Amino acid sequence: MKISLMLNGTKIEREIAPDLLLIDFVREEGCYSVKRGCETSGCGLCTVFLDEKPVLSCSVLAARADGHAVTTLEGLQKEAEEFGAFIADQGAEQCGFCNPGMIMNAIALFRENPDPTEEEMKEYLAGNLCRCSGYEGQLRGMKAFLEYKKQGGAV
């Protein structure tokens, strides 16, 4: 089957197998920030934006993205670098494996709600597996980033 979609702002047309997962499609297209972790939709490592909404690409067939826009961390470099610096500053990137999914979900939260409560931040972090840090560093990084934005920092 042939699909056509926008991947990080570039039109991609490709023949695919009907059972190809979106995670495999984007990785085949060079988007290696999208990682396979649990294969059960429970870790958040494979998070991408489908029409600007976060989805777990290990649970979406690539065919479902036909005619839509898919964005990975590679397509959000400016936002990701700015926010990622706050995560790193808090020592929350110990092994770094969870960072892409964590950053994708944080960006989704900040776009949806520019002034989230701590509880809302925890809800967004809940879908992301991190075996190293216990999430406290990520939470501190999110708070520091939001404070920076309130003080006039810009993306």
Side-chain angles (χ1 to χ4, degrees):
M1 89 182 306
K2 187 172 187 168
I3 64 169
S4 175
L5 57 91
M6 295 297 287
L7 178 60
N8 296 326
T10 301
K11 186 173 184 172
I12 306 286
E13 291 184 4
R14 204 172 102 195
E15 194 70 34
I16 64 163
D19 63 347
L20 182 69
L21 292 172
L22 186 56
I23 185 173
D24 297 317
F25 179 88
V26 297
R27 287 186 61 83
E28 288 170 7
E29 293 294 327
C31 300
Y32 300 117
S33 69
V34 184
K35 298 178 182 169
R36 179 173 265 108
C38 66
E39 305 229 17
T40 61
S41 305
C43 72
L45 296 175
C46 66
T47 301
V48 301
F49 291 168
L50 182 60
D51 293 335
E52 301 298 320
K53 299 289 183 198
V55 298
L56 299 171
S57 63
C58 74
S59 299
V60 176
L61 292 172
R64 297 283 305 221
D66 185 33
H68 296 278
V70 177
T71 308
T72 68
L73 197 58
E74 288 85 355
L76 298 172
Q77 284 302 297
K78 188 170 182 171
E79 284 177 275
E81 286 177 21
E82 184 179 42
F83 173 65
F86 287 86
I87 295 292
D89 187 53
Q90 295 298 323
E93 82 302 341
Q94 292 175 22
C95 82
F97 194 67
C98 70
N99 280 358
M102 190 82 61
I103 291 171
M104 291 294 290
N105 279 298
I107 289 172
L109 170 62
F110 300 148
R111 287 178 174 184
E112 184 179 313
N113 181 356
D115 191 23
T117 65
E118 183 171 330
E119 189 59 36
E120 289 168 324
M121 287 186 268
K122 286 179 179 179
E123 285 177 24
Y124 266 74
L125 292 179
N128 294 274
L129 178 65
C130 177
R131 293 185 173 117
C132 298
S133 71
Y135 305 99
E136 289 304 313
Q138 286 94 338
L139 189 57
R140 286 191 310 269
M142 291 173 83
K143 289 177 182 179
F145 177 75
L146 290 170
E147 187 58 35
Y148 163 77
K149 298 301 274 183
K150 285 179 186 175
Q151 300 298 323
V155 174

